[in-house]
Amino acid sequence: MRHTDEEIDAAAHRFERLADELDPETALAVDTADLQRVASATRSVRTEEMRLREAVAEGQVHGRSWAQIGLALGVSRQAARQRFSDRASA
């Protein structure tokens, strides 16, 4: 839903009025440490996933079979191939 300039201006004025009335001494702050940990863990997982993909690609460059790569991953050769074959060769 698109808003008119007048509606946007009115909303901005309402926000400014609310912000002016906000008392930092009595405002409740929400602890977001748990969400920060989720975001940090997500970044770590993505980084490690990229490292894993690079390692699998390096294994392929060195002539490692999917059976060998799967063994190193703790999965079957089929599972390793299905997960990494399209990206490992790119």
Side-chain angles (χ1 to χ4, degrees):
M1 168 187 226
R2 293 187 53 93
H3 296 283
T4 66
D5 289 341
E6 292 81 21
E7 291 172 325
I8 294 170
D9 286 339
H13 289 298
R14 283 194 308 274
F15 174 77
E16 288 174 9
R17 194 170 48 251
L18 288 171
D20 289 340
E21 295 171 3
L22 183 63
D23 181 1
E25 297 294 322
T26 60
L28 295 176
V30 176
D31 181 10
T32 60
D34 57 332
L35 295 176
Q36 292 171 351
R37 285 191 301 277
V38 169
S40 177
T42 299
R43 283 189 298 274
S44 295
V45 166
R46 287 181 180 155
T47 298
E48 292 305 313
E49 178 69 18
M50 187 171 44
R51 286 185 58 220
L52 177 58
R53 291 188 178 284
E54 289 170 356
V56 168
E58 184 178 355
Q60 286 191 306
V61 166
H62 289 120
R64 300 298 183 184
S65 69
W66 284 117
Q68 292 170 317
I69 292 170
L71 182 64
L73 292 168
V75 300
S76 69
R77 68 175 176 81
Q78 294 92 340
R81 185 174 172 272
Q82 286 174 348
R83 180 171 176 193
F84 294 102
S85 66
D86 60 328
R87 292 181 183 94
S89 60

